[in-house]
Amino acid sequence: MQPRILIAREKIAARVAEIGAEITRDFAGEAIIFVGVLKGAAIFLSDLARQVRLDATFDFIGVSSYGARPTPAQELHGGWDSTGEVRLTKDVDHSLRDKNVILVEDILDTGLTLTYLKDILLSHQPKAFRIAALLDKPSRRKKPIAGDYVGFSIPDEFVVGYGLDYAERYRNLPDVCVLPRE
Ligand code: 5GP
């Protein structure tokens, strides 16, 4: 199974710089906190944060899906289909009260994960709350949630690289790649 490049590193870098400039404009003169969703968002967060010219700090949150999560092979063949039963494996380390929070996610798919996380983070009563997602698969959405800063809309393919994994592998590929289903 050879990954095929869907979005090349130069294109990712250019888009991440644009999003960084947009965040810099939107929060001019204010401090922000990036909250990355482990582990997939780690690479996007580290690149994005370096394109933002603001007083910024980081935090991380972890989630996993309950129950009959598909095996990696089923995931690849049938598409990711989380049941919606998401559980927190790591909470944020700091209070987000009155903070400008940017939740950073690798990919917005069914929307179940971000809907769950949004409720948790809003309960901290932040000053502002925004979602930054590198990738978006709008055709897969089950919950009506949208990203405020979205890198690329992609078709319903299983992607790896730039933080995204298949059975924990491929996260270090510099490009976003499609793992062929056959
Ligand atoms: P959602 O809750 O929006 O359905 O799923 C979001 C999570 O599903 C992402 O954070 C990611 O972990 C996983 N996911 C969804 N689509 C893909 C994909 O194409 N490739 C990989 N590697 N993970 C995906």
Side-chain angles (χ1 to χ4, degrees), residues 26-37:
D26 291 353
F27 290 94
E30 303 209 27
I32 59 168
I33 177 159
F34 290 108
V35 177
V37 184

Side-chain angles (χ1 to χ4, degrees), residues 143-166:
K143 293 272 187 185
I145 187 163
D148 300 288
Y149 306 103
V150 173
F152 304 91
S153 269
I154 61 167
D156 181 14
E157 305 249 38
F158 191 84
V159 288
V160 294
Y162 199 76
L164 289 138
D165 76 311
Y166 173 62

Side-chain angles (χ1 to χ4, degrees), residues 80 105-107 109-113 137 157-159 164-165:
W80 175 277
E105 176 62 306
D106 51 4
I107 184 164
D109 186 27
T110 63
L112 295 166
T113 306
K137 286 187 202 169
E157 305 249 38
F158 191 84
V159 288
L164 289 138
D165 76 311

Side-chain angles (χ1 to χ4, degrees), residues 37-41 63 65 69 75-76 79-82 84 86 105-116 135 137 140-142 145 154-161 163-167 169 171 177 179 181:
V37 184
L38 294 170
K39 305 171 195 164
V63 284
S65 303
R69 185 182 155 156
E75 238 169 65
L76 192 57
W80 175 277
D81 232 342
S82 58
V86 182
E105 176 62 306
D106 51 4
I107 184 164
L108 190 44
D109 186 27
T110 63
L112 295 166
T113 306
L114 282 189
T115 301
Y116 172 80
L135 304 172
K137 286 187 202 169
R140 297 254 311 147
R141 201 74 92 251
K142 288 182 181 168
I145 187 163
I154 61 167
D156 181 14
E157 305 249 38
F158 191 84
V159 288
V160 294
L164 289 138
D165 76 311
Y166 173 62
R169 293 179 59 210
R171 292 193 197 274
C177 298
L179 213 49
R181 288 189 166 135

Side-chain angles (χ1 to χ4, degrees), residues 117-128:
L117 289 178
K118 184 177 177 179
D119 284 349
I120 290 179
L121 297 186
L122 283 180
S123 73
H124 285 247
Q125 300 182 281
K127 180 175 178 191

